[in-house]
């Protein structure tokens, strides 16, 4: 077998291996309901929720939520008890954090301002809890935890 033929044979074998691996991958989900998440957010602190003092909601693909974390989605509501809907989520589970824009003027796309009231969807022990897209979540928080 010539060097040229061996090179083509190796290339063909690599293509077959790649095709085999792709066939083992999980098929894409077609259920649109499993790719959306509705989050109801209730702020029970002292401030008034309105268009200037919004509730901001972030979704993360890890429970390690902090100022240096990068959210996979962001939304806001301008009514207390409002619902933020997130569409097209590709991950199997997400973690939710929220903040109240106490001072007004926060535009999102950044961590909440220092001192802002925050909440994380979690368990009774305070640990962040995951939510699966397709489920609904309710997050309630007050002024006791601040950024």
């Amino acid at each position: 077998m010539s060097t040229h033929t061996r090179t083509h044979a190796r290339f063909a074998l690599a293509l077959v291996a790649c095709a085999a691996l792709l066939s083992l991958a999980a098929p894409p989900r077609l259920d649109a309901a499993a790719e959306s998440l509705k989050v109801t957010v209730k702020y029970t602190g002292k401030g008034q929720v309105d268009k200037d003092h919004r509730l901001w909601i972030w979704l993360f693909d890890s429970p390690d939520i902090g100022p240096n974390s990068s959210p996979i989605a962001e939304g806001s509501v301008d009514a207390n008890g409002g619902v933020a809907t997130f569409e097209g989520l590709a991950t199997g589970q997400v973690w939710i954090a929220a903040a109240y824009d106490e001072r007004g003027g926060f535009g999102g796309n950044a961590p909440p301002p220092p001192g802002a009231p925050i909440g994380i969807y979690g368990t009774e022990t305070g640990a962040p809890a995951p939510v699966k897209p397709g489920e609904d979540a309710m997050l309630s928080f007050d002024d006791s935890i601040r950024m």
Side-chain angles (χ1 to χ4, degrees):
M1 189 183 282
S2 73
T3 304
H4 184 68
T5 305
R6 278 192 298 253
T7 302
H8 281 281
R10 286 186 190 131
F11 182 71
L13 183 59
L15 283 177
V16 169
C18 287
L21 286 174
L22 287 174
S23 70
L24 294 175
R29 284 191 299 190
L30 300 176
D31 183 6
E35 296 179 350
S36 65
L37 174 66
K38 292 182 180 181
V39 180
T40 303
V41 185
K42 177 93 172 140
Y43 170 67
T44 59
K46 296 178 185 175
Q48 178 70 28
V49 178
D50 56 32
K51 66 181 177 92
D52 295 320
H53 303 88
R54 305 176 74 80
L55 296 173
W56 288 89
I57 305 97
W58 294 272
L59 303 183
F60 296 87
D61 60 2
S62 164
D64 299 322
I65 299 171
N68 296 322
S69 303
S70 294
I72 59 170
E74 175 184 80
S76 68
V77 295
D78 61 5
N80 209 353
V83 177
T85 302
F86 299 91
E87 302 285 344
L89 299 174
T91 185
Q93 57 188 8
V94 296
W95 287 262
I96 306 167
Y100 170 60
D101 182 11
E102 188 172 47
R103 297 180 196 145
F106 178 66
N109 293 323
I118 60 170
I120 294 176
Y121 182 85
T123 64
E124 291 179 15
T125 64
V131 178
K132 293 180 183 178
E135 299 176 352
D136 293 342
M138 165 59 165
L139 172 58
S140 181
F141 68 101
D142 57 22
D143 296 330
S144 62
I145 301 174
R146 293 184 174 263
M147 186 66 179

